Amino acid sequence: MRTSPEMDRINRSGSKRNALVVRLERNLKDVNLLKTKLNSYNCEPQTYSLFERIEALRRGLETLRRNDQEIIAALKERKKSAMECAEEVNEHYSEFHKLQRGVEEYLGLTQNRYIHG
């Protein structure tokens, strides 16, 4: 039979695991929202430079989506501990924020085209 401190540790680990899964699932929705924005008619690239930029953003978002799903699966299947995944999640969020800024910059470039063009 497990002792009370051991059960507390297991419960805390399970709670942390569940919190990470919920956080990643929310982030996955945000990634999909950014992808939808980039696929908008208003975001069509008008120059080769913009084409390269939007393709790089799309690839980055797709990679982020796949990594997000892999981390979620690892947590749900208990392949990794919550502690192991916590660092991955932090790196994941850092990458997400970089891509989010990139998408916002791109949207600003394409929206300026309609204002000034």
Side-chain angles (χ1 to χ4, degrees), residues 11-29:
N11 287 337
R12 279 193 308 273
S13 176
S15 295
K16 184 167 180 83
R17 179 183 309 277
N18 290 338
L20 287 173
V21 168
V22 168
R23 189 173 171 201
L24 287 166
E25 287 173 341
R26 285 183 186 153
N27 190 64
L28 189 55
K29 289 178 184 178

Side-chain angles (χ1 to χ4, degrees), residues 21 24 28 62-80 85 88-89 92:
V21 168
L24 287 166
L28 189 55
E62 182 57 28
T63 299
L64 199 62
R65 184 191 64 76
R66 276 195 313 272
N67 290 344
D68 196 337
Q69 289 174 327
E70 288 171 6
I71 297 169
I72 290 170
L75 285 166
K76 285 183 175 180
E77 296 169 9
R78 300 185 183 274
K79 290 181 180 178
K80 292 183 179 181
C85 289
E88 281 183 71
V89 170
H92 184 78

